[in-house]
Amino acid sequence: MCSVCGGRRAAGASPIRCVGERITATGVPEFREVAWRAWYFKSLKSHRRTSMLEAFEQQSYHLHSETLLSQGIDYLKAFPELDEYTIEAADGHFIDHTCHTEKNSKGKVYAAGGIYALNLRSGLLRFLCLVTNGTQRHQEIPVLRDHIEKQNKGNNSSQKHLYVYDKAVTDFVWWDRQKRHANYMISMLKENSIATLVESIPFDSRHEINTGVEAYSVYENKGIKFNVVDYRDPETGKLHRFVTTLPMTINPGTIAMLYFKRWTIEKTFNNTKSNFKETKAWSSNTRSLENQMRLTAMSYNLMRVFEEISKTQQPELIHPSDKKYSEALEIRQQQAQKRDRFVNPLFFQARISRISSYTIRAVQNAIITGMSLQCFMSSLVARLVLPPQLIGEH
């Protein structure tokens, strides 16, 4: 039985509660059952516990990153030109406001939420900043800019940082200034963007990494130059236009693939809502909300590490979700070939998958029952299967 939250209640509770309570819990065990709800949510507002949680979040993220790297887990290893970049898919994520959220001057309340960033190299998640507690309509891009500028002031590292975001982020003037701080972006070019073609950028169209790229060009808007990739999907024939502030030396096909990988963060949010049951704010207090989102990211990362490590234990086997994805790609490839098309071969590379529901339930049950780590990991490894025999790759 979980010593913090009790057996029957924890069995139906969010995994984040189980993990979060173990992190924030202190005090006498016999009083925890009586004061569980009031004490736990009140503790989220504590400045001391917030400082502790922030430090724990940063340290655990660092340790998880080292653990995954030591196991050779790098989902961007096929793109060595990106080795000097920290690459994150960032996006806003919103949940229902808490029932006691105060209405604004117009008598309205909104969804509460913040911005998260998913590391496209490791698959780890981190909470960036709170956008709204539900008392006002969210405006995530100004909040993101404020967060990055604040980060610039306290960051003396020369590490290059690349953000992959949706088209709402394309403020060319602001991102041009960010290049001084080694901050770059990739996004989708807005359909109504007004820009002037300056010059074409040469690239190796025969290289597999640039499959589907029709043009790579420099454009200008109000004196600010940026690069645009025209990519036509070889499977569907649809044209996509991506914009970036990265140097011209980065392959245009790499830029296109990174934007497609941005979709992974939506799978992450699906995990937190469907599996973690985090669909509603725990409080309207901003500090409590920030801590809820930190605990969400920390719980996600714990389960991500368990699943990733389990996959490395028997290299000849793969996870059932990877087998399912490979089989789906094979069907897409065969259908595309009937139309004299093909799936971009880069899609056949390893990708960050959605954490399986089985892994999440297994972690939750292990916390509740006190199962040993060895037994728990053995149960995850036992689910691995032989890879499918594919014949349709391009």
Side-chain angles (χ1 to χ4, degrees):
M1 179 182 292
C2 176
S3 62
V4 176
C5 42
R8 285 188 303 171
R9 180 169 54 237
S14 160
I16 297 176
R17 302 283 176 85
C18 293
V19 175
E21 287 156 10
R22 283 192 173 273
I23 293 171
T24 60
T26 58
V28 183
E30 51 265 34
F31 289 106
R32 292 178 185 161
E33 181 69 21
V34 177
W36 179 74
R37 287 187 182 275
W39 178 86
Y40 179 58
F41 288 108
K42 186 176 181 180
S43 72
L44 289 174
K45 302 178 184 179
S46 165
H47 177 73
R48 179 176 62 85
R49 286 195 175 91
T50 294
S51 299
M52 179 193 72
L53 194 58
E54 287 177 347
F56 193 89
E57 175 196 26
Q58 294 173 13
Q59 184 68 5
S60 65
Y61 187 94
H62 176 70
L63 291 174
H64 289 328
S65 297
E66 289 187 337
T67 298
L68 295 177
L69 186 60
S70 70
Q71 296 295 316
I73 297 169
D74 179 357
Y75 286 101
L76 296 179
K77 67 176 65 174
F79 306 95
E81 59 191 318
L82 301 174
D83 285 349
E84 57 185 353
Y85 291 86
T86 295
I87 303 173
E88 293 180 309
D91 202 0
H93 180 58
F94 297 87
I95 55 181
D96 292 341
H97 60 82
T98 187
C99 58
H100 53 267
T101 300
E102 293 184 8
K103 295 181 179 180
N104 63 13
S105 58
K106 296 182 180 179
K108 294 183 178 180
V109 288
Y110 305 93
I115 299 174
Y116 293 84
L118 184 75
N119 191 302
L120 293 182
R121 197 176 297 281
S122 64
L124 295 177
L125 183 70
R126 69 187 182 103
F127 167 63
L128 294 187
C129 50
L130 180 70
V131 175
T132 177
N133 65 351
T135 58
Q136 56 186 344
R137 189 182 298 276
H138 66 269
Q139 296 291 337
E140 62 187 83
I141 301 306
V143 175
L144 175 67
R145 289 199 295 258
D146 290 344
H147 170 79
I148 294 175
E149 289 175 352
K150 181 180 179 181
Q151 185 175 267
N152 291 340
K153 294 177 182 178
N155 186 8
N156 296 321
S157 172
S158 59
Q159 175 72 41
K160 298 177 180 178
H161 206 127
L162 172 60
Y163 296 91
V164 188
Y165 216 98
D166 64 31
K167 60 179 118 179
V169 83
T170 50
D171 181 334
F172 299 124
V173 175
W174 187 84
W175 280 109
D176 187 66
R177 292 198 305 267
Q178 289 306 304
K179 288 191 285 188
R180 298 178 230 157
H181 302 283
N183 291 322
Y184 304 89
M185 71 88 176
I186 293 175
S187 187
M188 181 79 75
L189 187 67
K190 294 179 180 179
E191 293 82 358
N192 60 351
S193 292
I194 300 175
T196 303
L197 175 64
V198 176
E199 61 179 327
S200 296
I201 304 172
F203 67 96
D204 185 358
S205 60
R206 295 171 298 178
H207 197 296
E208 183 180 73
I209 206 167
N210 292 321
T211 300
V213 176
E214 293 188 343
Y216 192 23
S217 312
V218 178
Y219 279 77
E220 183 178 6
N221 178 284
K222 298 179 180 179
I224 303 299
K225 293 182 180 179
F226 49 90
N227 302 335
V228 174
V229 176
D230 288 353
Y231 171 88
R232 191 173 297 279
D233 189 337
E235 179 184 5
T236 65
K238 183 178 179 180
L239 179 66
H240 303 271
R241 306 193 76 197
F242 305 107
V243 59
T244 183
T245 56
L246 283 168
M248 299 179 188
T249 53
I250 303 296
N251 279 299
T254 298
I255 294 167
M257 280 300 108
L258 285 177
Y259 190 84
F260 287 127
K261 289 178 181 293
R262 191 193 79 83
W263 177 250
T264 307
I265 197 170
E266 301 299 338
K267 297 291 186 181
T268 299
F269 295 151
N270 180 265
N271 269 142
T272 63
K273 280 194 171 183
S274 298
N275 300 110
F276 292 1
K277 310 302 181 185
E278 288 306 303
T279 58
K280 191 169 186 176
W282 298 349
S283 171
S284 59
N285 178 273
T286 55
R287 184 178 294 162
S288 297
L289 266 174
E290 289 172 348
N291 286 338
Q292 178 183 356
M293 293 170 190
R294 289 189 183 96
L295 288 168
T296 298
M298 292 164 66
S299 300
Y300 177 88
N301 290 341
L302 184 65
M303 299 183 198
R304 168 63 64 189
V305 170
F306 282 138
E307 184 157 292
E308 294 294 343
I309 296 301
S310 72
K311 292 179 182 180
T312 66
Q313 301 306 299
Q314 295 190 31
E316 71 278 7
L317 303 178
I318 64 173
H319 194 273
S321 63
D322 294 327
K323 180 179 180 179
K324 183 178 179 180
Y325 177 75
S326 297
E327 291 172 341
L329 272 182
E330 173 71 4
I331 293 173
R332 285 170 52 186
Q333 183 74 294
Q334 293 174 358
Q335 292 176 343
Q337 289 174 343
K338 293 178 181 178
R339 306 189 305 270
D340 292 326
R341 294 189 174 277
F342 61 91
V343 176
N344 190 319
L346 298 183
F347 286 143
F348 287 89
Q349 296 175 351
R351 97 254 190 249
I352 301 171
S353 60
R354 180 185 185 277
I355 300 176
S356 71
S357 298
Y358 178 89
T359 297
I360 294 172
R361 289 195 303 269
V363 172
Q364 185 178 9
N365 291 333
I367 293 174
I368 295 169
T369 63
M371 181 187 296
S372 70
L373 180 60
Q374 183 177 2
C375 291
F376 164 68
M377 289 302 294
S378 296
S379 69
L380 296 186
V381 174
R383 297 196 71 236
L384 301 181
V385 297
L386 289 169
Q389 297 297 317
L390 302 182
I391 60 175
E393 288 193 28
H394 172 68

